Amino acid sequence: MRELTEISHRIIVPTPYRVGPANVYAFDSGPVTLFDCGPNTPAAENALRLGLAARGLSIEQVARVVISHGHPDHYGLAPAVRRASGATVFVGEHDLPKINERASRFATGALLMEAGMPVEVLLDMDRESKRMQELHPTIEEAVPLRGGERFSFDSFELEVLHLPGHTSGHVCLLEPTRRVLYAGDTLLAHITPNPLLEPTPEDPTVRRKSLVEYVHTLDVLESLDLTEVWTGHGEPIQEPAETIRLMKTHHLERKEEIASRLDDRPASPFELAREMFKDLEGFDNFLAVSEVVAHLDLLEADGRAERVIEAGVARYRSAVPR
């Protein structure tokens, strides 16, 4: 597998997360630019510096850092890079609250309780999150991206695409001539991006429908006629159309699996998650509930699931007569 394209260099940095190493992309043709930068750990910073040095660059030369989305394995080193070089940091406008601490974990907590998560499970997750707080640095002066902007280099341009789903403000970079996409976590080779449960950027009391957004994003990706996708984790994707097809098939199958568990007795997403995924602990509860809620949104849109509110908890039952 090629490590170099004509226009970028892939730097693999370690992360403390289960997903494993993350990819940073360095562009040196013109203003030195990073797409993502890795987590805020000494090991990741060392790997980033060594990766840049292999290209004859130093961290002090970085002029721009473009963040795919506001998760710490992708943006955590941005403050360190900016301190070293004065680089400008760019991020999707809807993910600004994630990197400047204006996003409230209490809003997400309220949505999880609405999904039936018990308070004790929520508190356990919160304690785990606080232990990892140093991995969530704040960035107060990032430049927001809306999609449609272009980053110019000496011999090419990269177009910003706003492709929500994994997060509300996820952005990707497209090299339009070669049809190469730098995708962050929007498309991965061997795992599906988590359709995370979280509030909308506009109203913290309203849950965004992350998988509805992501299914539309898959349609957009399909229309781009991509030749190659460079991902936020793992190896590049050489057959994007096939990967997109597999993502769509996965979500269709998961939707049907959840539909098969619905009957006339309303069940909360947390109860369904515990049925489907065994031995959940800590943050995995959040991922599992997110997965269930996201596919229930699709079933509700299809008219196959009905939501009822009981004592502040959203419960779902089949809307299809059996």
Side-chain angles (χ1 to χ4, degrees), residues 148-196:
E149 298 91 346
R150 288 179 176 264
F151 289 103
S152 295
F153 297 83
D154 289 345
S155 58
F156 64 93
E157 287 188 327
L158 295 174
E159 181 183 352
V160 177
L161 304 180
H162 173 220
L163 294 172
H166 184 54
T167 70
S168 183
H170 200 301
V171 296
C172 303
L173 298 179
L174 175 69
E175 202 291 315
T177 302
R178 300 171 179 85
R179 314 306 294 172
V180 173
L181 186 73
Y182 296 85
D185 283 358
T186 290
L187 201 65
L188 301 169
H190 302 299
I191 57 174
T192 56
N194 295 115
L196 298 178

Short mmCIF file of all heavy atoms in Angstrom, two decimals, residues 148-196:
data_model
loop_
_atom_site.label_atom_id
_atom_site.label_comp_id
_atom_site.label_asym_id
_atom_site.label_seq_id
_atom_site.Cartn_x
_atom_site.Cartn_y
_atom_site.Cartn_z
N GLY A 148 -17.63 24.25 1.14
CA GLY A 148 -17.52 25.06 -0.07
C GLY A 148 -16.25 25.89 -0.11
O GLY A 148 -15.87 26.39 -1.19
N GLU A 149 -15.58 26.07 1.03
CA GLU A 149 -14.32 26.81 1.03
C GLU A 149 -13.25 26.00 0.28
O GLU A 149 -13.36 24.79 0.11
CB GLU A 149 -13.83 27.08 2.46
CG GLU A 149 -14.77 27.92 3.31
CD GLU A 149 -15.77 27.10 4.09
OE1 GLU A 149 -15.93 25.89 3.79
OE2 GLU A 149 -16.40 27.66 5.01
N ARG A 150 -12.19 26.70 -0.14
CA ARG A 150 -11.08 26.03 -0.82
C ARG A 150 -9.76 26.44 -0.16
O ARG A 150 -9.55 27.62 0.13
CB ARG A 150 -11.06 26.37 -2.31
CG ARG A 150 -12.19 25.70 -3.08
CD ARG A 150 -12.17 26.06 -4.56
NE ARG A 150 -13.20 25.34 -5.28
CZ ARG A 150 -13.01 24.20 -5.96
NH1 ARG A 150 -11.80 23.66 -5.99
NH2 ARG A 150 -14.00 23.60 -6.58
N PHE A 151 -8.91 25.45 0.04
CA PHE A 151 -7.55 25.70 0.52
C PHE A 151 -6.62 25.60 -0.68
O PHE A 151 -6.55 24.55 -1.34
CB PHE A 151 -7.16 24.69 1.59
CG PHE A 151 -7.87 24.91 2.90
CD1 PHE A 151 -8.93 24.10 3.27
CD2 PHE A 151 -7.49 25.94 3.76
CE1 PHE A 151 -9.59 24.29 4.48
CE2 PHE A 151 -8.16 26.14 4.96
CZ PHE A 151 -9.20 25.33 5.32
N SER A 152 -5.89 26.67 -0.95
CA SER A 152 -5.01 26.72 -2.11
C SER A 152 -3.59 26.33 -1.73
O SER A 152 -3.08 26.71 -0.67
CB SER A 152 -5.01 28.14 -2.71
OG SER A 152 -6.29 28.45 -3.21
N PHE A 153 -2.94 25.56 -2.62
CA PHE A 153 -1.54 25.18 -2.50
C PHE A 153 -0.84 25.61 -3.79
O PHE A 153 -1.45 26.25 -4.65
CB PHE A 153 -1.43 23.68 -2.26
CG PHE A 153 -2.08 23.23 -0.96
CD1 PHE A 153 -3.45 22.99 -0.89
CD2 PHE A 153 -1.32 23.07 0.18
CE1 PHE A 153 -4.04 22.58 0.30
CE2 PHE A 153 -1.90 22.67 1.38
CZ PHE A 153 -3.26 22.43 1.44
N ASP A 154 0.42 25.25 -3.95
CA ASP A 154 1.17 25.72 -5.12
C ASP A 154 0.60 25.20 -6.43
O ASP A 154 0.56 25.92 -7.42
CB ASP A 154 2.64 25.30 -4.99
CG ASP A 154 3.38 26.09 -3.92
OD1 ASP A 154 2.85 27.13 -3.49
OD2 ASP A 154 4.47 25.66 -3.51
N SER A 155 0.16 23.93 -6.43
CA SER A 155 -0.24 23.34 -7.71
C SER A 155 -1.60 22.66 -7.66
O SER A 155 -1.98 21.97 -8.61
CB SER A 155 0.82 22.32 -8.16
OG SER A 155 0.98 21.31 -7.17
N PHE A 156 -2.34 22.85 -6.59
CA PHE A 156 -3.65 22.21 -6.48
C PHE A 156 -4.48 22.93 -5.42
O PHE A 156 -3.97 23.80 -4.70
CB PHE A 156 -3.53 20.72 -6.14
CG PHE A 156 -2.93 20.46 -4.79
CD1 PHE A 156 -3.72 20.28 -3.67
CD2 PHE A 156 -1.55 20.39 -4.63
CE1 PHE A 156 -3.17 20.05 -2.42
CE2 PHE A 156 -0.99 20.15 -3.38
CZ PHE A 156 -1.80 19.98 -2.28
N GLU A 157 -5.75 22.56 -5.36
CA GLU A 157 -6.65 23.07 -4.32
C GLU A 157 -7.37 21.90 -3.67
O GLU A 157 -7.55 20.84 -4.28
CB GLU A 157 -7.69 24.03 -4.92
CG GLU A 157 -7.14 25.37 -5.33
CD GLU A 157 -8.26 26.32 -5.74
OE1 GLU A 157 -9.29 25.85 -6.28
OE2 GLU A 157 -8.11 27.53 -5.50
N LEU A 158 -7.78 22.12 -2.45
CA LEU A 158 -8.62 21.17 -1.75
C LEU A 158 -9.94 21.85 -1.39
O LEU A 158 -9.93 22.97 -0.85
CB LEU A 158 -7.95 20.67 -0.46
CG LEU A 158 -6.67 19.84 -0.65
CD1 LEU A 158 -6.04 19.55 0.71
CD2 LEU A 158 -6.94 18.54 -1.40
N GLU A 159 -11.04 21.20 -1.70
CA GLU A 159 -12.37 21.75 -1.43
C GLU A 159 -12.92 21.17 -0.13
O GLU A 159 -12.84 19.97 0.11
CB GLU A 159 -13.31 21.42 -2.58
CG GLU A 159 -14.73 21.98 -2.39
CD GLU A 159 -15.67 21.58 -3.50
OE1 GLU A 159 -15.21 21.00 -4.50
OE2 GLU A 159 -16.89 21.84 -3.35
N VAL A 160 -13.47 22.04 0.70
CA VAL A 160 -14.07 21.61 1.96
C VAL A 160 -15.49 21.11 1.70
O VAL A 160 -16.30 21.80 1.08
CB VAL A 160 -14.11 22.76 2.98
CG1 VAL A 160 -14.80 22.32 4.27
CG2 VAL A 160 -12.70 23.27 3.27
N LEU A 161 -15.78 19.90 2.17
CA LEU A 161 -17.13 19.34 2.10
C LEU A 161 -17.66 19.15 3.51
O LEU A 161 -16.99 18.53 4.35
CB LEU A 161 -17.12 17.99 1.38
CG LEU A 161 -16.54 17.93 -0.03
CD1 LEU A 161 -16.63 16.51 -0.57
CD2 LEU A 161 -17.26 18.90 -0.96
N HIS A 162 -18.84 19.68 3.79
CA HIS A 162 -19.50 19.44 5.07
C HIS A 162 -20.31 18.16 4.93
O HIS A 162 -21.29 18.11 4.18
CB HIS A 162 -20.41 20.62 5.43
CG HIS A 162 -21.24 20.38 6.65
ND1 HIS A 162 -22.55 20.78 6.75
CD2 HIS A 162 -20.94 19.77 7.82
CE1 HIS A 162 -23.04 20.44 7.92
NE2 HIS A 162 -22.09 19.82 8.60
N LEU A 163 -19.88 17.11 5.65
CA LEU A 163 -20.51 15.79 5.52
C LEU A 163 -20.86 15.27 6.92
O LEU A 163 -20.11 14.50 7.53
CB LEU A 163 -19.57 14.82 4.79
CG LEU A 163 -19.29 15.17 3.32
CD1 LEU A 163 -18.21 14.28 2.74
CD2 LEU A 163 -20.57 15.08 2.49
N PRO A 164 -22.01 15.69 7.45
CA PRO A 164 -22.37 15.33 8.82
C PRO A 164 -22.81 13.87 8.94
O PRO A 164 -23.10 13.20 7.95
CB PRO A 164 -23.55 16.27 9.11
CG PRO A 164 -24.17 16.53 7.77
CD PRO A 164 -23.02 16.54 6.80
N GLY A 165 -22.84 13.43 10.18
CA GLY A 165 -23.26 12.06 10.49
C GLY A 165 -22.53 11.61 11.74
O GLY A 165 -23.10 11.55 12.82
N HIS A 166 -21.24 11.32 11.59
CA HIS A 166 -20.44 10.95 12.76
C HIS A 166 -20.46 12.08 13.79
O HIS A 166 -20.59 11.84 14.98
CB HIS A 166 -19.02 10.63 12.32
CG HIS A 166 -18.13 10.15 13.41
ND1 HIS A 166 -18.43 9.08 14.22
CD2 HIS A 166 -16.92 10.61 13.85
CE1 HIS A 166 -17.45 8.89 15.09
NE2 HIS A 166 -16.53 9.81 14.89
N THR A 167 -20.30 13.31 13.33
CA THR A 167 -20.59 14.50 14.13
C THR A 167 -21.37 15.47 13.25
O THR A 167 -21.40 15.33 12.02
CB THR A 167 -19.33 15.22 14.65
OG1 THR A 167 -18.64 15.83 13.55
CG2 THR A 167 -18.41 14.26 15.39
N SER A 168 -21.94 16.47 13.88
CA SER A 168 -22.76 17.43 13.15
C SER A 168 -21.92 18.31 12.22
O SER A 168 -22.38 18.74 11.17
CB SER A 168 -23.54 18.30 14.14
OG SER A 168 -24.39 19.18 13.47
N GLY A 169 -20.68 18.58 12.63
CA GLY A 169 -19.85 19.51 11.86
C GLY A 169 -18.71 18.86 11.11
O GLY A 169 -17.75 19.53 10.73
N HIS A 170 -18.78 17.56 10.87
CA HIS A 170 -17.68 16.85 10.22
C HIS A 170 -17.41 17.43 8.83
O HIS A 170 -18.33 17.61 8.03
CB HIS A 170 -18.00 15.36 10.10
CG HIS A 170 -16.80 14.49 9.89
ND1 HIS A 170 -15.96 14.64 8.82
CD2 HIS A 170 -16.29 13.47 10.63
CE1 HIS A 170 -14.99 13.74 8.89
NE2 HIS A 170 -15.17 13.02 9.99
N VAL A 171 -16.13 17.71 8.55
CA VAL A 171 -15.74 18.17 7.22
C VAL A 171 -14.69 17.23 6.63
O VAL A 171 -13.93 16.58 7.36
CB VAL A 171 -15.18 19.62 7.24
CG1 VAL A 171 -16.26 20.60 7.66
CG2 VAL A 171 -13.95 19.74 8.11
N CYS A 172 -14.69 17.15 5.32
CA CYS A 172 -13.71 16.37 4.57
C CYS A 172 -13.06 17.30 3.55
O CYS A 172 -13.58 18.38 3.26
CB CYS A 172 -14.37 15.19 3.86
SG CYS A 172 -15.24 14.06 4.96
N LEU A 173 -11.93 16.86 2.99
CA LEU A 173 -11.24 17.63 1.96
C LEU A 173 -11.19 16.82 0.68
O LEU A 173 -10.74 15.67 0.68
CB LEU A 173 -9.82 17.99 2.40
CG LEU A 173 -9.68 18.87 3.65
CD1 LEU A 173 -8.21 19.11 3.97
CD2 LEU A 173 -10.41 20.18 3.48
N LEU A 174 -11.64 17.43 -0.41
CA LEU A 174 -11.67 16.77 -1.73
C LEU A 174 -10.67 17.41 -2.66
O LEU A 174 -10.65 18.63 -2.83
CB LEU A 174 -13.08 16.88 -2.33
CG LEU A 174 -13.24 16.34 -3.75
CD1 LEU A 174 -13.11 14.81 -3.77
CD2 LEU A 174 -14.59 16.76 -4.34
N GLU A 175 -9.81 16.58 -3.27
CA GLU A 175 -8.97 17.03 -4.37
C GLU A 175 -9.76 16.75 -5.64
O GLU A 175 -9.91 15.61 -6.05
CB GLU A 175 -7.63 16.29 -4.36
CG GLU A 175 -6.51 17.02 -5.10
CD GLU A 175 -6.74 17.08 -6.59
OE1 GLU A 175 -7.10 16.03 -7.16
OE2 GLU A 175 -6.57 18.15 -7.20
N PRO A 176 -10.35 17.81 -6.25
CA PRO A 176 -11.38 17.57 -7.26
C PRO A 176 -10.87 17.00 -8.57
O PRO A 176 -11.64 16.34 -9.29
CB PRO A 176 -12.00 18.96 -7.46
CG PRO A 176 -10.96 19.92 -6.99
CD PRO A 176 -10.19 19.23 -5.92
N THR A 177 -9.61 17.21 -8.92
CA THR A 177 -9.10 16.70 -10.19
C THR A 177 -8.90 15.19 -10.14
O THR A 177 -9.34 14.45 -11.01
CB THR A 177 -7.78 17.39 -10.55
OG1 THR A 177 -8.01 18.81 -10.63
CG2 THR A 177 -7.27 16.89 -11.90
N ARG A 178 -8.24 14.72 -9.08
CA ARG A 178 -7.98 13.29 -8.94
C ARG A 178 -9.14 12.56 -8.29
O ARG A 178 -9.14 11.33 -8.23
CB ARG A 178 -6.71 13.08 -8.10
CG ARG A 178 -5.45 13.70 -8.69
CD ARG A 178 -4.31 13.62 -7.68
NE ARG A 178 -3.06 14.17 -8.18
CZ ARG A 178 -2.73 15.46 -8.12
NH1 ARG A 178 -3.58 16.33 -7.60
NH2 ARG A 178 -1.58 15.88 -8.59
N ARG A 179 -10.11 13.30 -7.72
CA ARG A 179 -11.26 12.73 -7.00
C ARG A 179 -10.79 11.93 -5.79
O ARG A 179 -11.28 10.83 -5.50
CB ARG A 179 -12.13 11.85 -7.90
CG ARG A 179 -12.49 12.42 -9.26
CD ARG A 179 -13.13 13.78 -9.14
NE ARG A 179 -14.43 13.76 -8.48
CZ ARG A 179 -15.10 14.87 -8.14
NH1 ARG A 179 -14.57 16.07 -8.38
NH2 ARG A 179 -16.27 14.77 -7.55
N VAL A 180 -9.80 12.47 -5.09
CA VAL A 180 -9.29 11.87 -3.86
C VAL A 180 -9.91 12.59 -2.67
O VAL A 180 -9.93 13.83 -2.64
CB VAL A 180 -7.75 11.96 -3.79
CG1 VAL A 180 -7.23 11.49 -2.43
CG2 VAL A 180 -7.13 11.14 -4.91
N LEU A 181 -10.41 11.84 -1.70
CA LEU A 181 -11.06 12.41 -0.53
C LEU A 181 -10.25 12.11 0.72
O LEU A 181 -9.86 10.96 0.96
CB LEU A 181 -12.47 11.85 -0.36
CG LEU A 181 -13.32 12.49 0.77
CD1 LEU A 181 -13.78 13.89 0.36
CD2 LEU A 181 -14.51 11.62 1.11
N TYR A 182 -10.01 13.16 1.51
CA TYR A 182 -9.46 13.01 2.86
C TYR A 182 -10.67 13.05 3.79
O TYR A 182 -11.31 14.08 3.96
CB TYR A 182 -8.46 14.12 3.14
CG TYR A 182 -7.26 14.02 2.23
CD1 TYR A 182 -7.28 14.59 0.95
CD2 TYR A 182 -6.13 13.31 2.62
CE1 TYR A 182 -6.20 14.46 0.09
CE2 TYR A 182 -5.04 13.17 1.77
CZ TYR A 182 -5.08 13.75 0.50
OH TYR A 182 -4.01 13.60 -0.36
N ALA A 183 -11.00 11.89 4.38
CA ALA A 183 -12.35 11.66 4.87
C ALA A 183 -12.52 11.73 6.37
O ALA A 183 -13.66 11.65 6.86
CB ALA A 183 -12.86 10.30 4.39
N GLY A 184 -11.43 11.88 7.16
CA GLY A 184 -11.62 11.80 8.60
C GLY A 184 -12.31 10.49 8.96
O GLY A 184 -11.94 9.42 8.48
N ASP A 185 -13.34 10.58 9.79
CA ASP A 185 -14.08 9.37 10.19
C ASP A 185 -15.37 9.19 9.40
O ASP A 185 -16.22 8.37 9.78
CB ASP A 185 -14.41 9.42 11.69
CG ASP A 185 -13.21 9.07 12.55
OD1 ASP A 185 -12.14 8.77 11.99
OD2 ASP A 185 -13.33 9.13 13.79
N THR A 186 -15.54 9.91 8.31
CA THR A 186 -16.77 9.78 7.54
C THR A 186 -16.84 8.45 6.79
O THR A 186 -17.91 7.87 6.62
CB THR A 186 -16.92 10.95 6.56
OG1 THR A 186 -17.18 12.14 7.31
CG2 THR A 186 -18.05 10.75 5.58
N LEU A 187 -15.70 7.95 6.36
CA LEU A 187 -15.67 6.65 5.69
C LEU A 187 -14.41 5.92 6.16
O LEU A 187 -13.30 6.45 6.04
CB LEU A 187 -15.66 6.81 4.17
CG LEU A 187 -16.12 5.60 3.35
CD1 LEU A 187 -17.58 5.29 3.62
CD2 LEU A 187 -15.89 5.82 1.86
N LEU A 188 -14.59 4.73 6.72
CA LEU A 188 -13.49 3.91 7.21
C LEU A 188 -13.55 2.55 6.54
O LEU A 188 -14.62 2.09 6.15
CB LEU A 188 -13.57 3.77 8.73
CG LEU A 188 -13.52 5.09 9.52
CD1 LEU A 188 -13.86 4.85 10.99
CD2 LEU A 188 -12.16 5.76 9.40
N ALA A 189 -12.38 1.90 6.45
CA ALA A 189 -12.32 0.68 5.65
C ALA A 189 -13.01 -0.51 6.31
O ALA A 189 -13.68 -1.29 5.64
CB ALA A 189 -10.86 0.34 5.36
N HIS A 190 -12.86 -0.66 7.63
CA HIS A 190 -13.31 -1.90 8.25
C HIS A 190 -14.32 -1.72 9.37
O HIS A 190 -14.80 -2.70 9.94
CB HIS A 190 -12.09 -2.66 8.79
CG HIS A 190 -11.08 -2.98 7.73
ND1 HIS A 190 -11.36 -3.76 6.64
CD2 HIS A 190 -9.78 -2.59 7.59
CE1 HIS A 190 -10.29 -3.86 5.87
NE2 HIS A 190 -9.32 -3.16 6.42
N ILE A 191 -14.64 -0.48 9.74
CA ILE A 191 -15.65 -0.24 10.77
C ILE A 191 -16.57 0.87 10.32
O ILE A 191 -16.20 1.69 9.48
CB ILE A 191 -15.00 0.14 12.13
CG1 ILE A 191 -14.10 1.37 11.97
CG2 ILE A 191 -14.24 -1.03 12.72
CD1 ILE A 191 -13.54 1.88 13.29
N THR A 192 -17.77 0.88 10.87
CA THR A 192 -18.71 1.94 10.54
C THR A 192 -18.56 3.07 11.56
O THR A 192 -18.43 2.81 12.75
CB THR A 192 -20.16 1.42 10.57
OG1 THR A 192 -20.41 0.86 11.86
CG2 THR A 192 -20.39 0.39 9.50
N PRO A 193 -18.58 4.32 11.11
CA PRO A 193 -18.51 5.44 12.05
C PRO A 193 -19.70 5.41 13.01
O PRO A 193 -20.83 5.14 12.61
CB PRO A 193 -18.57 6.66 11.14
CG PRO A 193 -18.16 6.18 9.79
CD PRO A 193 -18.62 4.76 9.71
N ASN A 194 -19.44 5.68 14.28
CA ASN A 194 -20.53 5.68 15.27
C ASN A 194 -21.51 6.81 14.99
O ASN A 194 -21.10 7.97 14.89
CB ASN A 194 -19.96 5.86 16.68
CG ASN A 194 -19.09 4.71 17.11
OD1 ASN A 194 -17.89 4.88 17.31
ND2 ASN A 194 -19.67 3.54 17.26
N PRO A 195 -22.81 6.51 14.88
CA PRO A 195 -23.83 7.57 14.75
C PRO A 195 -24.19 8.08 16.14
O PRO A 195 -25.16 7.66 16.75
CB PRO A 195 -24.99 6.84 14.08
CG PRO A 195 -24.86 5.43 14.57
CD PRO A 195 -23.39 5.16 14.80
N LEU A 196 -23.40 9.00 16.66
CA LEU A 196 -23.45 9.34 18.08
C LEU A 196 -24.71 10.10 18.46
O LEU A 196 -25.18 10.97 17.74
CB LEU A 196 -22.21 10.16 18.46
CG LEU A 196 -20.88 9.43 18.27
CD1 LEU A 196 -19.73 10.34 18.62
CD2 LEU A 196 -20.84 8.15 19.10
#
